[in-house]
Structures are given as structure tokens and as C-alpha cells.
Amino acid sequence: MNLQIPTYNKTETKIRIGDLVALMCVVQYEKIINENTVFYDCSDPIHKNLKADIIFNKVINVSTKILENTEKIDCNNLWVVAPHLLSKYGNKILPKLNLQDNLYSGTTLPQDDFIVLSTLLSPEYNFQRRMEIDFINNLIKSLELSFKHIYVITDQPKKIIQKTAKIINTSSLYDIIYLISKAKIFIGGDTGFTHFAAIARVPNIISIYGENYFYPEFVKTGKFKNIPFNCMPLVDDETTNHFSFILEHNELSPKQIVDIIEISKKQLNSNEINSLDIIEQYILLENKKNSANLLKDYLKSNPTSAKAWRLLATTYYKDHKELVQNAFAKSIELDPKNINTYLDLAKFYYYWTDYNDSTNTLLAILDIEPNNADSYLWLSYNQLKLNNMDNRFECAKQAYELNQKNPLIIDNLGRIVKELGDYQTAQELFKEAIKYNATYAPSYFHLAQTQLALDNYEDGLGNYEWRYFITSSQRMRTLPYPMPRYKGENLSEKSIFIHHEQGFGDTIQFTRYVSILLATCKKIKILVQPSLKKLLEENFNNITFIDKVEDSYDCNYHASLLSLPSLLKIYTPADEISLKVKLKKLKQIKKGKLNVGIVWQGSKGHINDHNRSISTDALHKLNSLKNIQLYSLQKDATKKDLNNISKNIIDLVRKSKDFYNTAQLIQELDLVISVDTSVAHLAASLGKPTWILLPHIPDWRWGLKNTNTPWYKSVTLFRKKQAQPWEEIINMIYDKLKSSTIS
């Protein structure tokens, strides 16, 4: 009998290459078991890219037209039918690929065995399969320590932070499948490439699946009741070893990663696995328990191993200071000229804020190796903490002169140059760092801040997205939301979940973009900080404000609030939204005086708070102005702080519950004077005259020159110069207040 497969390009079903593997199993069943001939149209773009007519030429007969006297193969439920047929009839119905060397046009492959890793960052459906970028980079980092040849399949290469792993940069599906077929080991998730690795008979497949790797909706609907949906690759057990791991909360346990390394080493016929290599894997993954237990056993039989003592110190880096110092001392005693041990010791002292000891250790390295660039880099870090700014710059320059290809060294010098006010040179240094490591996220982020400060919003906003990949900054990392990240798709019939990021002021400032998005979107849900919810909810009536992330799971996409300008391609500050609150008459307001609210300190956890905050002593001069009444809008102000400014100052926010209450208080004032903090954004959004006091290196949003800002019409900026004391800025404020003029 002749059978025909319905052509994908004439149905609403989008072809998926993984489904093609299951389909070919069904075709093999019809051909071998039922002795039917199967015709298939391979003329659509994906089939052509895959060269399906060639690689499956032993399975199907190619036909580009609908044939008479043929029955259609049922292509529904492929992933229920194919595993069932394979379990019943065995590997003889598993198709074999016909791959030809002369059709391969990709990168030259190594003579040695190699690994292929297939990522899955943005699945279009079944989001339990998705791999977080931090997990992928962590896995690659682990593999790089042990293997020479690693190829990575990804559609988002800029997110991969890698040193030796090779990104497969091709649009040819045939070339990707060919490369997979030549691998000794394939590592991948629930993707079509994993299934192709199976029918290519890759000798070893390591499958990584989400913890819910059956489709729950099928069971709910009853469509496939009692029949599990099998995502596992349909492997030929005679040719392929298949190992599977479950990805829990987008993490593999440290033991699982070590198991993957051990499996891979055995399959690649590597040298016998060294215990210290495994211990280093555990340390890399911060699994202190396993690394400590292994080291304890190792040191019993190898008490003179300097490396083992160094690893012991690294294991307890953050917990047992005395133990770590003794372990480092033992390691140095056994190997007194090991630069890496001294450098780790210097970093240990730096972590414990022992900056003088860290500095002395780095100087000891320079006694052994005078031109050690890493030592000068860490000396520069220490000088910042010791407030020796001239020495910091000189050490950074020396590190750069010794190694002009290290992105950390270049980036460090760029940040210092920027702090000295030379934004153009800093910009070039950040670009130079990126040239030597195209995935070094900190330099993209620092470049973005520099470009934005220079009013280059188009380039700056694009590079600002790299903030997500700075692993040391937890607040900038996206949570594992079940829906895909929004990338600019049409939202006319879709819903989107917007989540806050960074500080309260950022949320107030960037909520204006949600109103713009609303014009093209069917539905928006937004999660903001609880203390902002009432204020924003009453000012944005057409947006659903939610209390917890779980309430967003019915949305089609998610996006960070601070990513909206880039996503919407708005390269100038959008018009501000005027917030409104119900008026609340205050008994404390003094009639006949200029009522001025003041804020002198931002969040103490902010990286630049030591530069942007002002001592209360500097504000005391304002107390002598008889025509004004001062009100504290400083959250958690102490009695000492208030008395330092004025004994007559009135604390307005001591009992304020949230930003709505604070907004009501601000509405009753004539003027707000604030350092760069959330209250400044709040006052400006209310349209209240607001004077913002900026440090000599301001946040990018305020630019570098003007006394006004396109972000808020009611704001006046007072800019401090580098060596200028805050008292001089307060004198300017004093003179302006003395005339009782607000502009």
C-alpha cells in the first residue's frame, strides 16, 4: 500500500525537527513491519535546510505533490505512538541517517573526540524544559576544566560566558546534525537535537530534563489518559549509552555535575580521574560538604600535597578564618613559590576585609614575580577599599601595562578613568575589554552606563540588558519565570507580565513605559514592591497589579520594567506620568513659611551610597534660615541626625506606612531637597519642585552637564565636582532658599 504524510506547509502545524524523528520511526514501522511505501514532501524551508530528502532517503520516498490512491499517515500523537512502536518492535524501526561528508560546510572538526552541548534557553512551548543561562554557563565552566573540545549549540551566543568552548555559529541544520553525529558525547535537554543525536547513534547521550518532563495538560484533558508523554530520546541501546539527569529548579546538584564529568571522562578514555580534579569541581559548585569529605580522606594519604591544603583553604573560604589561614600557611610551607596560592590568600584576606594583609600578600607575590599583572589588579582593588585613590590608579595602570588583553584588568582601569571624569576614554576601554572577551558581562554593563550618561540611549539601552548576566549581582538576575522573555513580539492578542527590578526610584521612574506598552497590548500584569503597590495601582487603572509571581503564570510573556525602553525602541526619555494622591491636610505645616522636605541619605546597601549621601552636619547651616521650615522625609532618621540639622525640624515620615502615605505628605510641601534616592523620584513624579543633589559621578539617568533633566520637568540638579565638599553645594542651596524663590 502507498501512504502519504500530510505536508506541513499546508497545515497550521509548525514543523519541529524533534517531531520529524518520531515521524520517521512511524514511517519505518509502516515500511518494515507493514511493508508499505511512504511518500513525503520535503520542499518547505526547514526540510531543505535539514536536507531531509537526503538524510532520510532510506526511509521515505520524496514527492512534492499529492498522489492519488494513497492513504494519509496520522501524524497526531507522535510522541505516544513512536515510543510504543519502538518498545514493541525494537531498534529495527529506528531510522538511520544518511549523512554525506561532502555536503558538510561547517567548521573543521578536531581529530580528537569531542563533546556537543545543546542549550535550550527559549522554548516556544512546555517551559519546564527551559534552561536558565546561569545553569548553562555553570555547566560549561565545569566541562571546560576537564575537556579540550566542547561545541555549544545555542541561538543566543552572546549570553554564553565561555573561554574555550566553541559556539556553533551556523544557520545550516544539516551542518549541526552532521557535527552532532561525529561527537563522542552529546549533552542536551528535551530538544530535537537530542533526538537527532539518538538516531545518529552518538555513542553517549546525556539527557537533561526538567523536573516535570511529562506534559501535564494531556493528563488533565484525558486525551492521553494513562499514557505518559515520552520525551526521552528513542535510542538504539546496542550503539548508544544513554544517561539521564533531572534538572530541579534549573539546577543540577553538585553530585550530578561531577557524575557528568566522570561519565564523560570515562567515555573519552581520559587519564584516570584525579581526586583533586573532582574536589575542584565540588569547590567550583560551592558544595562544601562533598569537597571537605573528599579532602579529609585525600590528606590522610597525601599530607604533603600543597595543592590539597590550598583546596582545603578554598573550601572553607567564607566560614572558618583561622582554619583557612592555617591551611594556606601549610600550602605555602610545602610550595613557597606557588603564585596561585599567594593570590588565593590575598583574595581570602580581601573577602574578610583585611585589606592591609591582602596588600602585603600581593607585595610578596611581586617579590617572587615582579611583573605579575594579577597582583597589581588586586592591589588596585585593595587601594580602593583603603581609600588610596592615587595608588589605586597607579596599580591599575601598571596591571594594564603588563597585560593589555585581560578584560578584568582593562575593565578595572575603565571604571577608574570614568570616576576621574574621562567618560570618552572609559568608553573605549570598556569596548577594548569586550574585544578580548565578547561575553564579559560587566564590561557591557559599564559601557552601557557610560553611553547612557553621554546621552547615547540607543547603544546604551541595548548594552544595559547585559546586567542580567553579572552573576555577582543577585538583584539583576531574572527569576525562572515559566513564560518566555518578551523580545518585541506583537502583543495585540497577548498578555505580558512586567516585574520590578532594582530600587524603588527605578520602579517609579520607569512605570511610565508600561502606559506606552498598554496601547499595543491586550493585558498587562505587573509586580512591584509592596510599599509602592497602592500608589501605582491608584494611578494606573488599566493594569492589573499582582501580589505574587504565581499570579502571572497565565501571561504569554514576561519582561523587566527597566528593559521596556529597549524593547519598545524608545531612545529618548519618555514623557513623565504625573502621579496623584488624595490630599491630606497636615497640622504640622507652617503657614507663612517655605515648607521644605529634605532627604540626606539613600539606601545604605547601594554601591554608590558613600558618594551620594550627605552628613547631617553639612545640612546644619539651613537651620539658620528664618523663612523656611524643614521637614525630614528621611526614613529611619535618628534623633541625633535630626538634632544635627535643626532642633526645630519636623519628622514627617516616622509613621509613614508606604509610598502612598509619603506622597500625601510631599503634596503639602512647597519644595523637596534630596540626594539621588527614591523620594526624589516620588516628589518629581508628583510634580513637586525638587532639587536633587548629585555626586561628582552621578547615576547615568541624570547625564553629565545640565541643571535640568528630560525625565522630570519639576527637577533642578545640583552637581558636585570631584574634589568639592558637600558644604559648598549646601551653600548654593542656602543662597537660593534665602531668596525664597523656587524655580
Side-chain angles (χ1 to χ4, degrees):
M1 180 186 295
N2 291 335
L3 300 175
Q4 188 154 11
I5 301 169
T7 50
Y8 272 100
N9 56 0
K10 293 185 179 179
T11 69
E12 293 181 357
T13 305
K14 181 179 179 181
I15 184 172
R16 295 185 289 263
I17 62 171
D19 291 350
L20 198 56
V21 173
L23 179 57
M24 291 301 118
C25 291
V26 175
V27 171
Q28 281 286 76
Y29 160 75
E30 293 291 352
K31 182 178 179 180
I32 295 172
I33 306 302
N34 293 337
E35 299 181 349
N36 293 319
T37 301
V38 181
F39 294 91
Y40 190 25
D41 180 359
C42 296
S43 61
D44 69 88
I46 291 181
H47 281 96
K48 284 185 175 181
N49 192 331
L50 191 60
K51 302 188 190 331
D53 57 332
I54 296 173
I55 66 174
F56 290 123
N57 70 347
K58 295 179 181 178
V59 183
I60 56 172
N61 293 67
V62 177
S63 173
T64 58
K65 59 184 179 180
I66 299 175
L67 303 174
E68 296 180 0
N69 302 318
T70 59
E71 291 188 13
K72 300 292 188 293
I73 283 185
D74 183 2
C75 292
N76 293 318
N77 311 342
L78 286 171
W79 286 105
V80 173
V81 174
H84 169 73
L85 293 175
L86 192 68
S87 65
K88 186 173 182 179
Y89 296 103
N91 293 326
K92 61 183 177 180
I93 70 163
L94 194 68
K96 291 185 178 181
L97 296 176
N98 175 38
L99 293 164
Q100 300 176 17
D101 295 347
N102 63 317
L103 296 178
Y104 175 69
S105 59
T107 184
T108 302
L109 301 181
Q111 296 296 317
D112 303 333
D113 292 332
F114 61 88
I115 295 175
V116 171
L117 169 64
S118 176
T119 68
L120 185 58
L121 296 172
S122 301
E124 296 181 355
Y125 61 96
N126 189 23
F127 301 113
Q128 293 100 332
R129 304 179 302 152
R130 183 165 70 101
M131 299 176 178
E132 283 294 317
I133 188 61
D134 286 341
F135 160 71
I136 289 294
N137 283 323
N138 189 28
L139 179 56
I140 292 174
K141 187 188 295 183
S142 299
L143 292 169
E144 282 182 331
L145 293 176
S146 302
F147 305 112
K148 183 178 179 182
H149 301 297
I150 307 165
Y151 291 86
V152 180
I153 302 171
T154 179
D155 61 347
Q156 300 178 45
K158 287 188 175 181
K159 294 183 180 180
I160 304 299
I161 302 171
Q162 48 81 29
K163 296 177 182 176
T164 59
K166 301 172 182 66
I167 305 297
I168 299 175
N169 187 19
T170 178
S171 59
S172 169
L173 288 173
Y174 180 88
D175 284 352
I176 294 174
I177 300 302
Y178 181 90
L179 186 143
I180 288 171
S181 74
K182 299 298 181 182
K184 187 67 177 287
I185 299 173
F186 175 89
I187 304 174
D190 179 13
T191 74
F193 292 130
T194 305
H195 299 300
F196 264 97
I199 63 172
R201 272 68 172 184
V202 173
N204 305 280
I205 296 176
I206 298 174
S207 296
I208 300 173
Y209 289 89
E211 53 195 319
N212 299 314
Y213 62 101
F214 291 134
Y215 282 56
E217 60 266 30
F218 291 146
V219 178
K220 289 178 184 176
T221 60
K223 188 174 183 180
F224 302 123
K225 192 173 183 180
N226 299 323
I227 305 176
F229 186 86
N230 193 339
C231 307
M232 293 292 182
L234 309 176
V235 297
D236 182 344
D237 296 329
E238 295 179 5
T239 61
T240 302
N241 296 314
H242 180 228
F243 310 91
S244 62
F245 294 82
I246 301 299
L247 191 65
E248 298 182 4
H249 308 296
N250 240 287
E251 290 183 353
L252 290 174
S253 70
K255 183 181 185 306
Q256 287 176 309
I257 289 192
V258 171
D259 286 345
I260 289 175
I261 302 297
E262 291 193 52
I263 289 167
S264 302
K265 283 193 172 187
K266 288 175 182 176
Q267 305 307 324
L268 291 176
N269 297 318
S270 296
N271 295 330
E272 184 177 349
I273 301 168
N274 189 309
S275 297
L276 289 180
D277 291 339
I278 296 175
I279 292 169
E280 282 190 291
Q281 296 291 337
Y282 280 126
I283 292 172
L284 176 71
L285 297 161
E286 298 184 356
N287 189 310
K288 183 170 59 182
K289 182 179 179 181
N290 284 341
S291 61
N293 289 337
L294 287 170
L295 278 166
K296 183 179 178 181
D297 293 337
Y298 187 88
L299 282 167
K300 281 181 181 178
S301 54
N302 301 276
T304 58
S305 170
K307 183 176 181 180
W309 285 106
R310 177 164 66 87
L311 292 178
L312 181 66
T314 308
T315 297
Y316 289 106
Y317 213 88
K318 300 177 181 179
D319 303 289
H320 300 283
K321 189 174 182 181
E322 186 176 351
L323 184 152
V324 171
Q325 286 175 308
N326 292 336
F328 272 127
K330 186 68 175 177
S331 182
I332 291 171
E333 177 189 334
L334 292 165
D335 188 0
K337 292 190 177 181
N338 189 309
I339 299 299
N340 291 330
T341 305
Y342 283 102
L343 194 58
D344 284 347
L345 177 59
K347 293 175 183 177
F348 159 75
Y349 282 131
Y350 183 90
Y351 174 81
W352 283 96
T353 69
D354 296 334
Y355 302 119
N356 286 315
D357 286 338
S358 180
T359 297
N360 291 332
T361 305
L362 293 165
L363 292 173
I365 294 176
L366 294 174
D367 287 338
I368 301 169
E369 189 178 296
N371 292 329
N372 187 279
D374 287 335
S375 295
Y376 280 107
L377 172 65
W378 279 89
L379 279 171
S380 175
Y381 293 159
N382 275 292
Q383 299 312 298
L384 170 63
K385 298 298 184 180
L386 295 168
N387 204 31
N388 295 329
M389 295 307 171
D390 290 340
N391 288 346
R392 178 195 179 202
F393 182 45
E394 290 304 317
C395 289
K397 280 202 306 180
Q398 184 65 28
Y400 180 72
E401 288 173 9
L402 291 168
N403 187 346
Q404 297 185 14
K405 295 184 179 181
N406 184 326
L408 277 76
I409 289 173
I410 303 169
D411 183 82
N412 180 55
L413 183 60
R415 283 185 291 146
I416 296 173
V417 168
K418 178 187 168 187
E419 289 172 21
L420 293 172
D422 189 350
Y423 279 68
Q424 294 294 347
T425 301
Q427 182 174 226
E428 294 309 311
L429 284 167
F430 296 138
K431 289 179 179 178
E432 187 179 337
I434 292 165
K435 182 177 74 174
Y436 290 110
N437 186 345
T439 58
Y440 187 56
S443 287
Y444 281 100
F445 181 61
H446 298 143
L447 176 61
Q449 292 177 312
T450 307
Q451 290 169 327
L452 290 167
L454 292 168
D455 296 327
N456 179 0
Y457 277 76
E458 185 167 355
D459 292 330
L461 288 172
N463 288 324
Y464 197 60
E465 292 303 290
W466 280 85
R467 67 196 184 279
Y468 284 111
F469 310 114
I470 303 176
T471 55
S472 63
S473 183
Q474 291 290 341
R475 69 176 185 171
M476 292 183 180
R477 294 166 74 178
T478 184
L479 295 171
Y481 301 115
M483 70 289 287
R485 185 179 293 173
Y486 178 60
K487 297 177 183 176
E489 295 87 347
N490 187 323
L491 294 173
S492 58
E493 296 299 323
K494 302 290 184 179
S495 58
I496 188 169
F497 164 51
I498 306 297
H499 42 89
H500 70 84
E501 177 195 331
Q502 301 182 42
F504 297 111
D506 300 282
T507 301
I508 294 169
Q509 180 182 3
F510 281 84
T511 308
R512 67 187 71 190
Y513 291 97
V514 181
S515 296
I516 298 171
L517 188 65
L518 190 62
T520 59
C521 184
K522 184 177 181 180
K523 185 177 182 180
I524 295 177
K525 288 187 175 182
I526 185 168
L527 178 68
V528 300
Q529 297 94 324
S531 58
L532 277 171
K533 185 184 176 189
K534 181 179 179 181
L535 173 69
L536 297 177
E537 197 168 30
E538 293 204 4
N539 281 275
F540 294 88
N541 298 324
N542 297 324
I543 297 168
T544 302
F545 285 80
I546 60 177
D547 295 307
K548 55 185 184 297
V549 172
E550 289 76 9
D551 294 336
S552 72
Y553 285 177
D554 60 337
C555 291
N556 300 108
Y557 300 100
H558 80 88
S560 163
L561 187 61
L562 269 68
S563 292
L564 291 184
S566 177
L567 291 168
L568 295 170
K569 294 181 170 56
I570 300 174
Y571 301 128
T572 56
D575 292 341
E576 62 185 290
I577 301 295
S578 296
L579 299 180
K580 293 180 172 54
V581 292
K582 292 180 181 177
L583 294 179
K584 182 180 180 180
K585 293 294 182 182
L586 300 176
K587 295 179 181 178
Q588 301 99 314
I589 295 298
K590 305 293 184 181
K591 294 182 179 180
K593 287 197 173 186
L594 194 67
N595 294 292
V596 180
I598 57 173
V599 181
W600 55 89
Q601 185 173 47
S603 169
K604 292 181 180 179
H606 191 281
I607 192 170
N608 197 40
D609 191 60
H610 64 289
N611 285 322
R612 67 175 183 170
S613 292
I614 302 175
S615 73
T616 51
D617 291 336
L619 296 169
H620 181 73
K621 183 174 183 177
L622 301 180
N623 180 48
S624 63
L625 289 167
K626 304 302 182 185
N627 61 323
I628 70 167
Q629 172 62 49
L630 293 176
Y631 300 84
S632 169
L633 296 174
Q634 181 69 52
K635 196 72 174 173
D636 301 324
T638 65
K639 286 186 178 180
K640 182 181 178 182
D641 288 336
L642 297 173
N643 287 333
N644 275 355
I645 299 170
S646 169
K647 291 185 178 181
N648 297 318
I649 192 171
I650 297 172
D651 187 357
L652 279 185
V653 295
R654 184 167 55 88
K655 296 183 179 180
S656 181
K657 296 179 181 178
D658 56 21
F659 277 89
Y660 188 91
N661 285 158
T662 304
Q664 289 180 305
L665 301 174
I666 290 173
Q667 284 285 49
E668 294 297 296
L669 302 175
D670 299 307
L671 169 69
V672 170
I673 302 172
S674 174
V675 295
D676 182 10
T677 188
S678 57
V679 174
H681 289 277
L682 178 62
S685 294
L686 292 164
K688 188 64 58 180
T690 306
W691 297 354
I692 303 179
L693 283 53
L694 299 177
H696 75 280
I697 300 297
D699 191 87
W700 61 263
R701 72 201 73 206
W702 307 121
L704 300 175
K705 296 179 180 179
N706 298 331
T707 58
N708 61 348
T709 170
W711 290 104
Y712 301 106
K713 295 176 182 177
S714 64
V715 163
T716 302
L717 302 174
F718 292 80
R719 299 180 182 274
K720 178 179 174 292
K721 296 177 183 178
Q722 183 177 0
Q724 188 179 28
W726 277 115
E727 283 78 5
E728 290 186 15
I729 301 297
I730 299 303
N731 286 340
M732 294 170 60
I733 298 289
Y734 177 91
D735 291 340
K736 197 163 186 178
L737 285 174
K738 194 173 182 180
S739 65
S740 302
T741 301
I742 305 172
S743 59

